[in-house]
Amino acid sequence: MLTKTEQQFTILFILLLIAELICGSVESLSAWHYFTKPSLLTALIVYFYFNSNKLTPKTKVMTLIALVFSLMGDVFLMFVDLSPKFFMFGLASFLLAHVFYIVVFWTRRNSKIKPIGLIVVLIMYAIGLFYLLKNSLGEMLIPVIFYIIVILLMAIMAFLRQVKVSKISFVLVFLGAILFVISDSILALNKFYMPLSFSSISIMFSYALAQFFIVMGLLKQS
């Protein structure tokens, strides 16, 4: 059951996401894309900041840093057409965001869980993804490999929170982590493998929900 505040923010976030999906897809509205895209993470940052008093200071600060780096990544990726360097800046920003998420998830890990099955599935997934991308990566080979390892580690850390947090918190955060993997996979395939239909919509939709679920899940972990 959502509280009134959660309901209001969810509606606001959905409206912002719809606006971004439209502005990011309709050429005549593309100028608004420079407002609607960063507004998603900005809204999450503000909401999390004012509703995370029950979390430990470390969790609150680390999560805010992860969200700020994510916002920076969003902004950098909006300007990749101007220079390839912006893609690298965006990649580095999201890499750091994942690192801070890993730290946050690690603090509530369940040391009794041995996620062998999940690790095997994720490794097989990563191998398949890398097989499709490897011939087009060029100088991006090492950065992409490193990024894949870090984001999969983030998903594993999200899984290790099981039992150590409330059930709804575990489900939301783990779902968010998996959606993050999916979003970045679509982005990588679209950029390095082949153009995908409706890629901008699928990338942003899965990415926005990933961040939303992670934030809402962390706020419910107590």
Side-chain angles (χ1 to χ4, degrees):
M1 189 70 177
L2 295 177
T3 65
K4 184 177 181 180
T5 301
E6 290 170 341
Q7 291 175 0
Q8 292 173 341
F9 179 72
T10 299
I11 293 172
L12 171 64
F13 191 81
I14 291 174
L15 292 175
L16 289 174
L17 178 55
I18 292 173
E20 163 54 17
L21 293 177
I22 294 173
C23 295
S25 304
V26 180
E27 188 173 351
S28 61
L29 298 174
S30 60
W32 286 97
H33 168 65
Y34 294 94
F35 168 77
T36 56
K37 185 177 182 180
S39 70
L40 289 165
L41 262 294
T42 301
L44 280 174
I45 290 170
V46 173
Y47 180 78
F48 181 83
Y49 179 81
F50 286 106
N51 291 276
S52 55
N53 294 329
K54 293 183 179 180
L55 299 176
T56 64
K58 180 180 179 180
T59 297
K60 182 174 182 176
V61 171
M62 292 294 179
T63 303
L64 285 171
I65 294 174
L67 291 170
V68 169
F69 274 120
S70 296
L71 176 58
M72 292 171 58
D74 285 342
V75 173
F76 285 133
L77 292 182
M78 288 192 296
F79 298 99
V80 290
D81 292 338
L82 299 179
S83 171
K85 290 183 179 180
F86 284 111
F87 182 80
M88 282 297 298
F89 294 152
L91 187 71
S93 296
F94 281 115
L95 180 67
L96 290 171
H98 292 316
V99 169
F100 281 99
Y101 274 143
I102 287 171
V103 174
V104 171
F105 301 160
W106 177 258
T107 59
R108 298 301 293 268
R109 70 191 182 282
N110 186 346
S111 58
K112 296 180 180 179
I113 293 180
K114 308 298 180 184
I116 305 301
L118 176 64
I119 292 174
V120 171
V121 170
L122 291 178
I123 289 176
M124 292 177 62
Y125 178 83
I127 291 174
L129 180 63
F130 179 72
Y131 178 79
L132 295 176
L133 302 178
K134 61 182 177 64
N135 294 330
S136 305
L137 292 175
E139 61 182 13
M140 293 294 296
L141 178 65
I142 301 302
V144 168
I145 290 176
F146 191 64
Y147 187 89
I148 290 175
I149 293 173
V150 171
I151 193 172
L152 294 186
L153 184 59
M154 185 270 291
I156 294 170
M157 290 301 106
F159 182 79
L160 289 179
R161 295 171 70 252
Q162 193 171 178
V163 180
K164 285 293 184 176
V165 296
S166 66
K167 185 175 181 180
I168 185 62
S169 174
F170 166 74
V171 171
L172 287 175
V173 170
F174 184 59
L175 177 58
I178 295 301
L179 283 172
F180 224 136
V181 173
I182 293 172
S183 176
D184 282 352
S185 298
I186 299 172
L187 188 153
L189 288 170
N190 185 67
K191 183 174 181 62
F192 297 111
Y193 182 59
M194 62 179 292
L196 303 176
S197 301
F198 307 108
S199 59
S200 61
I201 293 177
S202 56
I203 291 169
M204 181 49 62
F205 183 75
S206 53
Y207 165 73
L209 289 184
Q211 295 280 23
F212 177 80
F213 287 145
I214 289 174
V215 166
M216 300 302 284
L218 288 174
L219 290 175
K220 290 179 175 295
Q221 78 174 11
S222 300

